[in-house]
Amino acid sequence: MHRMPHEKDLPLLANTNDILVKHYILDLTCDFENKMFSGSILLFLQAAGSLKQGSEVQTFAVLRDAQVCGMSKPDLNIEVTSSCVKCPTVTHTISTGSEMLVNNSNYDLSMESVSACKKCHLGVQKTLNQNDDGLDYSNQSKEGRDTPYAADNKVNTGFSTFQNFPPHNSVASSVNDTAIENGQMDTIEKNTPCICDNNSSGNADIKLPDSTEEVFHFILDCCAITVHFVEEVSLPLNLFNKIFMDSSGDWQSTNNYYAACRNLSGIALNYRVEDWCLKIWKDAICTADSFPKVIRVNYHSNQEGASLKWVKDQDGRPCVFTPAAWINNRSLYPCQEPPVAMATWQAFIQAPNDAVVLMSGDQAAIVTESETGLNTYYYQTSMPLPSSTMAIAVGYWDCAEISGPATTGDLDAYRQELKIPWCGHENNTCRVNYYYHPVLPCRLFAPKSLLPKVVAEFKEYLPRCFASAYKLLGPHPFSRIDLLIVPSSFASLGLASPNIIFLSQTLLAGDGSLCIRLAHEISHSWFGLLIGSWDWAEEWLSEGFATYMEDSIHALAMSWTQKQQQDHSELRALLRYKTLKAELLNTEEELQMLRPNQGKELRDQETSVLYVKNGMNPEKAFTQVHYLKGYFLLRYLSGMVGVSRFDQLIRDYVRLYHGKLVFSQEIFALLFKTFPELSVQGLTTERIYSEWLDYPGMPKVMDDYSPNNDNIVYTEVLQEVQKWKTINKANARKKKRIKVDVTSIDLEPDQLVLLLEYLLEEETLATRTLTQLNNTYHLSNKNADILHRWCELVTKHQYSNGYMDVRHFLVNHQAMGIYMYGECVLSASPELRKIAEECFETTSQDMDPGVYKTVHAMLFVEECEAEAMK
């Protein structure tokens, strides 16, 4: 079948080379009945080519405002001299008469004036006898606003979208009010002039841009949302200055100013919703510099959008969460998807009074109760992050606190224990909200019926895990963490986002044997969040690092000796090696490369559209190559320089690149700078690229792997394997069977997994052998890793006594079940196929879309092929 160019690649249409979102405010209501979020989002913008915030000379164009608002001309004749950023060699003398963009009736000489450069039409700003900039928002309505637009036109021009213009989603603004009362935020003067005042009348006497110049389009990535209207927010000048010109670095105050914009009125903008994006434009505005700085999009999410999963929890109550879909968050809110577009956000989320809203945010939510049946949860962040990292969950869960916040004294003491300042960023520019205490404030959330089991499984391990990560990697990048057990349809074992981790119920093994997965997810606070990747296709920078670090964090949390850590690490390396070999045999070659773009953009030469390589390839979600191949690369490098020295390198890597985006080359540059002797040994960056990152298959140095001969946990497994081979040989005798002792040693979970891996390599196992195996180790009741291997043995040998275990696995461990569907199909057993089809029918309604598509294709090959031929 002919494959279209970029058929499996995810388009990134946001024009981040022109304009960037610096901050989002989500004002949304969670509607379980209609399965949607509705409300609005505010976007605060800056031209990508603008000078940094707080520069001495910085302009933001306001010519646009007079062209649409039609502001009147104040009867003034005051001249102001200023320089324009666009053409700094020219000094402009600007009359505050016809070009002064303020409302005549509200104009006050104490206010700052904004005008336009007559040469380039960019805004030029100077202060005219400026007094204090007290801000007063008391004249702003908190109940919505009247809107003068009315028409019935399917073309979304902004001015003529529909009749009955929907009111702005009014949400309790107690955060703003409290900040004002406490003196944390100034108040606006009632008559403050506005840079975009839709109550003005008349036409400003301003030269318009050349009509032949193309109108600038602001493009946001989105899909499966319904947009009601888009508007430019009318921003008072002194609030404008606080948001866009203030360089004080007081992020809490800045967030208060952002929040003060929520209920400001605005004027409509043109827009068009396309399959993968939202395009917004303003008549006669032809550059990003001239484009409005604050935009409101009123919309609602659509049920089919993959960014949100609306399901019932384990207690049968409705919930919704962001499952890290292949489209990320673009069907939750219109955003800029490319990683370079890092921003902060605030959120005012309304939900039913008895529900709880969990979300990425520096502090736990501020909850405003209401008699309307809806409570408002407020979250905010101070560290800029890609929009894809934000997570939200709303549901009816119970909570248990594992660890509370440390005292200020304790935090200061731990900060002083660091031998060197942790952050090397200059001029106090670091935005990371570090937590200088080994144990993070942590809460567990789960359905009421599961919470006691969750607490019993994790309460002892989590504090030790936090402390281990702190010791190995430094201060925690986020000041708190919530862990949520999501419904069984969750397609992953875990998902880490800022301040929140989603966990599969599969991890509730009952004996803590899968807690190492928590170490993996906690590692992502550093690798994937604190340090992100410029190229999403280089996932090994996140998953490979987290897989490598989970062993060290887990070993420290378990208080193992160095020998115990080495033995268990080698055992897990062997299990991973076996998995990687199988993955490489069954994964298409382009998914086996850790750096498929080789440090370059994947951009279509004809359309200039940027793509994420294989971002829409459903197979990518189920391959572990980037986890495992990346892990083995780091393990190989640590073997060359020594584990302790390599661990220090990773710690230095975190100090150097925290809060930044990286390519693969950064870690290697640091590697060879720290260990120049590697070059003498023949290792180079180019060699690493050629053998590990840029080509498919197993690296040459990994042709084989086995633990050391003195590895006790490994040799115990080999002894058990040999014993069971002997037992199976005896059970296979057709004549009188020889009595064999089946007494076994007490194997640890990872040892048991390896034993089953070896037994899976046997061509045949007698029914009696399988029965004895299950009776000896109670495999039906073990953790999901063990149960998975046991079910593979059941399907391979069609052991009917174990079919109930297969059914249980497919229904209750959906995060791992996709592989078992394939085993059932390959078994060619009608009974196993029927079990698979019945389980699919039971779970398919809530199944992850990618999993659904893959399993459906496995079970109904002929139907899918016929559909493809149409």
Side-chain angles (χ1 to χ4, degrees):
M1 183 182 297
H2 177 68
R3 177 175 168 181
M4 299 293 292
H6 303 298
E7 180 183 356
K8 296 183 179 181
D9 303 327
L10 177 66
L12 301 175
L13 298 179
N15 50 342
T16 53
N17 287 338
D18 301 317
I19 194 166
L20 291 169
V21 179
K22 61 181 293 184
H23 190 76
Y24 297 93
I25 298 183
L26 282 73
D27 251 321
L28 300 174
T29 298
C30 177
D31 183 347
F32 281 122
E33 182 177 355
N34 295 301
K35 296 184 177 180
M36 71 178 186
F37 280 94
S38 61
S40 66
I41 181 171
L42 278 181
L43 304 98
F44 297 81
L45 313 178
Q46 59 185 9
S50 297
L51 297 180
K52 292 183 179 179
Q53 180 175 324
S55 299
E56 291 184 2
V57 181
Q58 179 184 28
T59 62
F60 291 89
V62 292
L63 173 64
R64 63 192 188 281
D65 306 306
Q67 293 167 353
V68 176
C69 298
M71 294 182 178
S72 58
K73 308 173 185 179
D75 186 16
L76 300 168
N77 192 27
I78 302 172
E79 292 190 343
V80 181
T81 300
S82 181
S83 295
C84 173
V85 168
K86 192 74 173 178
C87 42
T89 59
V90 180
T91 299
H92 304 285
T93 300
I94 305 170
S95 170
T96 58
S98 61
E99 281 100 12
M100 184 65 71
L101 304 183
V102 294
N103 184 297
N104 186 28
S105 60
N106 291 334
Y107 183 70
D108 186 318
L109 282 179
S110 66
M111 293 296 102
E112 292 183 319
S113 61
V114 179
S115 190
C117 165
K118 296 179 181 179
K119 181 175 180 180
C120 64
H121 304 291
L122 286 182
V124 179
Q125 179 164 325
K126 285 298 290 184
T127 301
L128 302 178
N129 303 325
Q130 183 178 359
N131 296 326
D132 68 36
D133 56 354
L135 306 176
D136 179 11
Y137 291 101
S138 58
N139 62 327
Q140 299 295 337
S141 169
K142 296 182 181 179
E143 302 297 328
R145 62 184 181 284
D146 295 329
T147 50
Y149 320 121
D152 186 9
N153 191 328
K154 294 182 180 179
V155 178
N156 297 326
T157 63
F159 290 98
S160 55
T161 306
F162 52 81
Q163 294 178 339
N164 300 322
F165 200 66
H168 172 54
N169 180 34
S170 179
V171 180
S173 54
S174 61
V175 174
N176 306 358
D177 299 337
T178 302
I180 294 173
E181 290 171 5
N182 294 338
Q184 297 171 357
M185 188 174 83
D186 302 324
T187 55
I188 281 187
E189 291 191 7
K190 294 183 178 181
N191 294 326
T192 299
C194 175
I195 64 171
C196 176
D197 192 342
N198 64 324
N199 292 322
S200 303
S201 60
N203 296 314
D205 183 16
I206 296 178
K207 179 183 176 181
L208 297 177
D210 188 337
S211 60
T212 62
E213 193 173 353
E214 185 178 353
V215 172
F216 175 78
H217 286 75
F218 172 44
I219 305 175
L220 292 167
D221 295 298
C222 72
C223 64
I225 66 170
T226 298
V227 177
H228 302 303
F229 64 86
V230 180
E231 61 184 5
E232 174 184 3
V233 174
S234 304
L235 206 61
L237 288 179
N238 41 10
L239 182 57
F240 176 95
N241 292 335
K242 285 292 184 182
I243 291 174
F244 291 101
M245 310 292 282
D246 188 357
S247 60
S248 64
D250 183 355
W251 309 115
Q252 179 60 57
S253 295
T254 302
N255 277 350
N256 287 335
Y257 292 123
Y258 283 135
C261 300
R262 292 169 54 225
N263 295 303
L264 297 179
S265 60
I267 61 168
L269 293 174
N270 309 308
Y271 72 97
R272 181 171 64 249
V273 180
E274 298 181 355
D275 288 343
W276 286 106
C277 68
L278 168 63
K279 293 184 176 180
I280 304 170
W281 71 96
K282 186 170 183 177
D283 294 338
I285 298 304
C286 303
T287 67
D289 297 289
S290 304
F291 197 74
K293 293 297 176 285
V294 185
I295 300 296
R296 178 182 290 119
V297 180
N298 188 282
Y299 72 101
H300 70 255
S301 64
N302 295 333
Q303 186 175 342
E304 66 270 18
S307 298
L308 293 166
K309 193 163 187 61
W310 301 87
V311 290
K312 296 289 182 66
D313 67 18
Q314 290 86 341
D315 287 349
R317 306 198 72 182
C319 68
V320 60
F321 63 97
T322 46
W326 52 276
I327 60 169
N328 297 314
N329 286 325
R330 62 176 72 182
S331 68
L332 169 60
Y333 66 99
C335 57
Q336 291 184 322
E337 279 271 81
V340 67
M342 297 199 294
T344 50
W345 58 76
Q346 293 166 280
F348 297 81
I349 308 297
Q350 288 188 317
N353 287 351
D354 51 347
V356 61
V357 178
L358 303 177
M359 192 174 179
S360 302
D362 290 352
Q363 291 85 33
I366 297 175
V367 183
T368 304
E369 297 183 352
S370 166
E371 296 180 357
T372 63
L374 297 174
N375 288 344
T376 301
Y377 285 72
Y378 170 69
Y379 288 95
Q380 65 175 359
T381 67
S382 58
M383 177 182 172
L385 288 163
S387 62
S388 59
T389 63
M390 189 191 74
I392 187 172
V394 185
Y396 299 89
W397 302 299
D398 280 10
C399 172
E401 183 177 272
I402 297 300
S403 52
T407 65
T408 302
D410 283 346
L411 293 174
D412 289 340
Y414 277 105
R415 185 186 290 110
Q416 292 172 8
E417 281 187 7
L418 295 174
K419 295 181 181 179
I420 56 176
W422 188 250
C423 177
H425 290 168
E426 298 178 357
N427 301 323
N428 297 318
T429 58
C430 186
R431 302 281 294 274
V432 180
N433 191 23
Y434 277 124
Y435 190 75
Y436 290 90
H437 192 280
V439 180
L440 270 176
C442 175
R443 301 180 299 178
L444 297 179
F445 288 85
K448 185 175 183 178
S449 64
L450 280 182
L451 187 61
K453 188 175 182 179
V454 177
V455 172
E457 193 84 14
F458 299 147
K459 70 176 181 178
E460 299 295 334
Y461 182 82
L462 273 170
R464 301 199 307 265
C465 189
F466 292 141
S468 300
Y470 181 95
K471 183 175 182 179
L472 291 168
L473 297 171
H476 296 284
F478 303 99
S479 58
R480 65 176 190 90
I481 194 95
D482 290 333
L483 282 76
L484 169 65
I485 300 296
V486 290
S488 58
S489 58
F490 186 44
S492 176
L493 291 176
L495 172 64
S497 299
N499 308 106
I500 186 169
I501 295 175
F502 296 154
L503 296 173
S504 167
Q505 67 178 30
T506 290
L507 300 187
L508 303 177
D511 58 1
S513 58
L514 294 180
C515 280
I516 191 172
R517 187 69 197 190
L518 297 182
H520 181 98
E521 299 305 330
I522 290 169
S523 296
H524 277 309
S525 291
W526 287 268
F527 307 109
L529 297 176
L530 180 64
I531 302 175
S533 174
W534 278 105
D535 182 358
W536 283 342
E538 296 188 25
E539 288 180 81
W540 82 274
L541 291 169
S542 171
E543 299 298 352
F545 272 79
T547 304
Y548 175 82
M549 287 306 305
E550 73 180 54
D551 284 355
S552 298
I553 293 174
H554 183 68
L556 198 56
M558 299 300 291
S559 300
W560 285 341
T561 65
Q562 185 175 352
K563 183 63 168 68
Q564 286 176 312
Q565 178 178 354
Q566 180 180 339
D567 286 356
H568 284 86
S569 179
E570 288 179 354
L571 185 71
R572 291 187 65 81
L574 179 58
L575 290 171
R576 290 167 178 150
Y577 181 76
K578 288 179 173 293
T579 302
L580 179 58
K581 283 187 68 175
E583 289 267 336
L584 293 176
L585 289 174
N586 298 286
T587 302
E588 55 186 279
E589 284 195 349
E590 67 176 6
L591 293 180
Q592 298 180 24
M593 293 181 286
L594 304 187
R595 202 176 71 119
N597 297 327
Q598 300 186 10
K600 302 175 183 178
E601 285 186 336
L602 179 60
R603 193 178 292 274
D604 188 279
Q605 294 183 352
E606 295 183 2
T607 65
S608 293
V609 172
L610 184 66
Y611 287 91
V612 177
K613 184 70 174 177
N614 282 303
M616 295 172 61
N617 188 340
E619 293 183 20
K620 191 171 187 290
F622 310 118
T623 180
Q624 301 178 66
V625 172
H626 44 287
Y627 290 75
L628 301 176
K629 205 170 175 182
Y631 156 79
F632 277 112
L633 170 56
L634 297 176
R635 184 178 174 85
Y636 167 71
L637 295 175
S638 72
M640 295 192 72
V641 302
V643 174
S644 61
R645 297 175 75 202
F646 191 73
D647 285 350
Q648 182 58 49
L649 174 79
I650 290 182
R651 191 176 171 92
D652 293 340
Y653 174 68
V654 170
R655 287 191 65 251
L656 185 60
Y657 291 107
H658 67 275
K660 298 180 180 180
L661 301 175
V662 298
F663 287 108
S664 297
Q665 64 196 40
E666 274 77 19
I667 182 62
F668 302 132
L670 182 62
L671 175 74
F672 288 105
K673 180 180 179 181
T674 307
F675 306 114
E677 65 271 19
L678 291 177
S679 298
V680 178
Q681 300 174 35
L683 186 66
T684 63
T685 300
E686 290 70 25
R687 180 181 163 188
I688 294 174
Y689 286 161
S690 63
E691 294 185 4
W692 289 90
L693 302 186
D694 294 351
Y695 294 93
M698 187 75 77
K700 295 178 182 178
V701 296
M702 290 290 299
D703 283 343
D704 195 15
Y705 176 82
S706 61
N708 292 320
N709 293 330
D710 64 346
N711 189 315
I712 298 175
V713 294
Y714 174 58
T715 55
E716 286 178 346
V717 174
L718 293 183
Q719 294 169 8
E720 286 294 286
V721 171
Q722 189 57 47
K723 184 186 72 177
W724 282 102
K725 286 182 178 180
T726 302
I727 293 173
N728 186 58
K729 187 175 181 180
N731 289 334
R733 294 170 63 95
K734 294 183 179 180
K735 297 181 180 180
K736 184 177 180 181
R737 294 190 180 96
I738 302 174
K739 188 174 182 180
V740 180
D741 182 14
V742 296
T743 304
S744 296
I745 62 174
D746 187 16
L747 295 179
E748 296 180 13
D750 284 345
Q751 290 179 300
L752 196 47
V753 171
L754 184 58
L755 169 63
L756 297 180
E757 285 276 4
Y758 279 125
L759 293 180
L760 277 165
E761 296 173 3
E762 295 295 300
E763 185 175 346
T764 59
L765 289 180
T767 299
R768 180 180 174 84
T769 303
L770 292 169
T771 300
Q772 291 170 326
L773 264 175
N774 196 20
N775 291 340
T776 300
Y777 298 113
H778 309 290
L779 300 174
S780 301
N781 300 320
K782 295 297 183 180
N783 72 38
D785 273 342
I786 297 169
L787 185 60
H788 184 200
R789 271 69 171 193
W790 167 240
C791 288
E792 286 184 292
L793 282 173
V794 168
T795 55
K796 179 178 180 178
H797 302 291
Q798 299 186 24
Y799 177 61
S800 58
N801 289 345
Y803 284 0
M804 286 301 295
D805 292 335
V806 174
R807 185 183 296 274
H808 170 80
F809 186 84
L810 289 175
V811 173
N812 293 287
H813 300 297
Q814 295 181 44
M816 303 171 67
I818 187 169
Y819 304 103
M820 189 50 56
Y821 280 105
E823 296 295 332
C824 290
V825 172
L826 292 174
S827 72
S829 163
E831 191 171 355
L832 283 170
R833 185 181 185 89
K834 181 180 179 182
I835 290 174
E837 290 179 356
E838 290 174 351
C839 291
F840 179 67
E841 183 178 356
T842 300
T843 61
S844 61
Q845 182 175 356
D846 292 335
M847 192 173 279
D848 175 86
V851 175
Y852 177 92
K853 183 177 180 180
T854 303
V855 174
H856 185 271
M858 289 180 185
L859 296 176
F860 309 105
V861 178
E862 295 180 358
E863 178 183 326
C864 292
E865 290 178 348
E867 184 67 26
M869 295 295 292
K870 292 182 180 179

XYZ file of all heavy atoms in Angstrom, residues 443-477:
282
model
N 0.664 13.449 48.533
C -0.682 12.941 48.826
C -1.010 11.817 47.851
O -0.599 11.839 46.684
C -1.733 14.047 48.698
C -1.507 15.239 49.616
C -2.592 16.311 49.427
N -2.607 16.837 48.068
C -3.481 17.753 47.634
N -4.410 18.232 48.450
N -3.424 18.184 46.385
N -1.770 10.845 48.331
C -2.265 9.755 47.496
C -3.759 9.935 47.274
O -4.506 10.217 48.224
C -2.011 8.396 48.154
C -0.554 7.981 48.381
C -0.512 6.624 49.075
C 0.203 7.939 47.076
N -4.209 9.767 46.021
C -5.626 9.842 45.689
C -6.036 8.556 44.984
O -5.302 8.024 44.148
C -5.901 11.038 44.770
C -5.792 12.373 45.451
C -4.568 12.998 45.571
C -6.919 12.993 45.982
C -4.447 14.226 46.195
C -6.811 14.224 46.611
C -5.578 14.845 46.718
N -7.218 8.077 45.325
C -7.725 6.848 44.718
C -9.219 6.747 45.020
O -9.726 7.403 45.944
C -6.992 5.624 45.261
N -9.955 5.930 44.258
C -11.340 5.647 44.634
C -11.390 5.100 46.059
O -10.444 4.451 46.526
C -11.774 4.601 43.598
C -10.884 4.833 42.424
C -9.569 5.266 42.997
N -12.475 5.358 46.737
C -12.600 5.000 48.149
C -12.284 3.538 48.403
O -11.614 3.194 49.390
C -14.009 5.338 48.635
C -14.220 5.119 50.129
C -15.610 5.590 50.550
C -15.794 5.433 52.055
N -17.137 5.928 52.498
N -12.725 2.655 47.532
C -12.527 1.223 47.754
C -11.075 0.809 47.621
O -10.661 -0.229 48.158
C -13.381 0.422 46.759
O -12.952 0.675 45.422
N -10.265 1.594 46.906
C -8.873 1.231 46.655
C -7.879 1.937 47.577
O -6.742 1.472 47.728
C -8.491 1.559 45.203
C -8.913 0.583 44.107
C -8.403 1.068 42.757
C -8.406 -0.821 44.387
N -8.287 3.054 48.177
C -7.317 3.876 48.896
C -6.576 3.112 49.997
O -5.348 3.253 50.110
C -7.992 5.121 49.469
C -7.027 6.134 50.095
C -6.040 6.651 49.052
C -7.797 7.298 50.726
N -7.230 2.321 50.830
C -6.464 1.584 51.857
C -5.375 0.698 51.258
O -4.272 0.604 51.800
C -7.539 0.749 52.573
C -8.802 1.513 52.350
C -8.685 2.079 50.963
N -5.659 0.064 50.139
C -4.674 -0.786 49.482
C -3.522 0.045 48.934
O -2.350 -0.357 48.999
C -5.351 -1.579 48.361
C -4.460 -2.632 47.727
C -5.244 -3.454 46.711
C -4.352 -4.549 46.121
N -5.090 -5.387 45.138
N -3.839 1.232 48.394
C -2.814 2.120 47.851
C -1.882 2.591 48.964
O -0.654 2.599 48.818
C -3.461 3.323 47.139
C -2.399 4.293 46.636
C -4.338 2.862 45.981
N -2.472 2.995 50.079
C -1.672 3.471 51.211
C -0.761 2.361 51.726
O 0.434 2.585 51.979
C -2.588 3.994 52.327
C -1.779 4.315 53.581
C -3.347 5.232 51.857
N -1.317 1.165 51.872
C -0.513 0.050 52.366
C 0.643 -0.276 51.416
O 1.734 -0.648 51.847
C -1.398 -1.181 52.556
N 0.423 -0.110 50.115
C 1.438 -0.448 49.121
C 2.575 0.569 49.076
O 3.747 0.201 48.915
C 0.787 -0.532 47.730
C 1.650 -1.160 46.659
C 1.569 -2.674 46.655
O 0.651 -3.225 47.288
O 2.436 -3.303 46.023
N 2.244 1.860 49.239
C 3.218 2.901 48.927
C 3.699 3.751 50.103
O 4.694 4.458 49.977
C 2.631 3.856 47.873
C 2.288 3.215 46.560
C 1.206 3.683 45.812
C 3.025 2.155 46.072
C 0.889 3.102 44.591
C 2.714 1.559 44.851
C 1.636 2.035 44.111
N 3.009 3.719 51.231
C 3.287 4.710 52.273
C 4.693 4.599 52.847
O 5.302 5.613 53.210
C 2.242 4.609 53.391
C 2.341 3.353 54.244
C 1.335 3.394 55.394
C 1.442 2.139 56.272
N 0.492 2.194 57.407
N 5.223 3.402 52.959
C 6.573 3.236 53.495
C 7.638 3.517 52.435
O 8.704 4.060 52.733
C 6.745 1.822 54.047
C 5.807 1.467 55.180
C 6.071 2.312 56.424
O 7.220 2.788 56.595
O 5.129 2.494 57.216
N 7.346 3.150 51.217
C 8.346 3.251 50.152
C 8.541 4.682 49.654
O 9.682 5.100 49.395
C 7.936 2.351 48.985
C 8.933 2.358 47.838
C 10.071 1.566 47.882
C 8.729 3.149 46.715
C 10.989 1.562 46.839
C 9.637 3.162 45.664
C 10.767 2.358 45.731
O 11.676 2.376 44.697
N 7.461 5.431 49.510
C 7.551 6.747 48.874
C 8.517 7.705 49.564
O 9.367 8.312 48.890
C 6.157 7.373 48.771
C 5.360 6.997 47.522
C 3.915 7.467 47.652
C 5.998 7.570 46.264
N 8.439 7.905 50.886
C 9.400 8.823 51.516
C 10.851 8.403 51.291
O 11.725 9.253 51.075
C 9.022 8.766 53.000
C 7.575 8.371 53.011
C 7.444 7.414 51.871
N 11.112 7.093 51.330
C 12.471 6.617 51.083
C 12.880 6.868 49.634
O 14.042 7.200 49.349
C 12.578 5.123 51.407
C 12.229 4.754 52.835
C 12.790 3.383 53.217
N 12.426 2.337 52.282
C 11.379 1.518 52.413
N 10.578 1.645 53.477
N 11.142 0.579 51.542
N 11.940 6.720 48.739
C 12.219 6.937 47.314
C 12.525 8.413 47.046
O 13.469 8.736 46.303
C 11.027 6.471 46.482
S 11.327 6.425 44.706
N 11.739 9.305 47.638
C 12.002 10.740 47.487
C 13.398 11.089 48.011
O 14.156 11.825 47.368
C 10.958 11.563 48.250
C 9.575 11.501 47.679
C 8.463 11.435 48.527
C 9.361 11.533 46.316
C 7.185 11.391 48.006
C 8.072 11.479 45.782
C 6.989 11.406 46.635
N 13.718 10.577 49.182
C 15.009 10.881 49.796
C 16.164 10.337 48.950
O 17.222 10.973 48.842
C 15.068 10.305 51.211
N 15.963 9.172 48.337
C 17.018 8.588 47.500
C 17.238 9.431 46.246
O 18.379 9.675 45.838
C 16.639 7.155 47.114
O 16.476 6.354 48.268
N 16.145 9.855 45.617
C 16.266 10.691 44.421
C 16.950 12.009 44.760
O 17.783 12.520 43.994
C 14.881 10.941 43.823
N 16.608 12.575 45.904
C 17.223 13.829 46.359
C 18.727 13.648 46.532
O 19.528 14.505 46.121
C 16.576 14.245 47.676
C 17.083 15.541 48.282
C 16.431 16.738 48.049
C 18.210 15.551 49.105
C 16.878 17.927 48.612
C 18.672 16.729 49.673
C 18.001 17.912 49.426
O 18.462 19.085 49.981
N 19.136 12.542 47.126
C 20.557 12.299 47.376
C 21.326 12.128 46.075
O 22.469 12.605 45.943
C 20.717 11.062 48.254
C 22.160 10.766 48.634
C 22.248 9.607 49.612
C 23.701 9.350 50.028
N 23.789 8.234 51.012
N 20.718 11.482 45.089
C 21.413 11.195 43.837
C 21.360 12.345 42.836
O 22.318 12.557 42.086
C 20.816 9.936 43.191
C 21.076 8.625 43.924
C 20.194 7.525 43.359
C 22.546 8.234 43.826
N 20.247 13.088 42.823
C 20.030 14.067 41.761
C 19.952 15.505 42.237
O 19.945 16.424 41.420
C 18.741 13.716 40.998
C 18.775 12.370 40.275
C 17.391 12.008 39.750
C 19.790 12.380 39.141
N 19.866 15.710 43.542
C 19.792 17.073 44.043
C 18.371 17.456 44.414
O 17.467 16.601 44.472
N 18.142 18.739 44.703
C 16.822 19.194 45.152
C 15.708 18.813 44.175
O 15.919 18.746 42.968
C 16.988 20.724 45.211
C 18.445 20.948 45.328
C 19.113 19.833 44.591
N 14.538 18.575 44.735
C 13.384 18.222 43.904
C 12.965 19.415 43.055
O 12.835 20.533 43.560
C 12.215 17.784 44.784
C 12.483 16.538 45.574
N 12.471 15.282 44.998
C 12.789 16.350 46.885
C 12.738 14.379 45.929
N 12.937 14.991 47.075
N 12.738 19.208 41.757
C 12.367 20.319 40.871
C 10.985 20.898 41.142
O 10.697 22.014 40.730
C 12.422 19.692 39.475
C 13.221 18.441 39.633
C 12.945 17.966 41.023
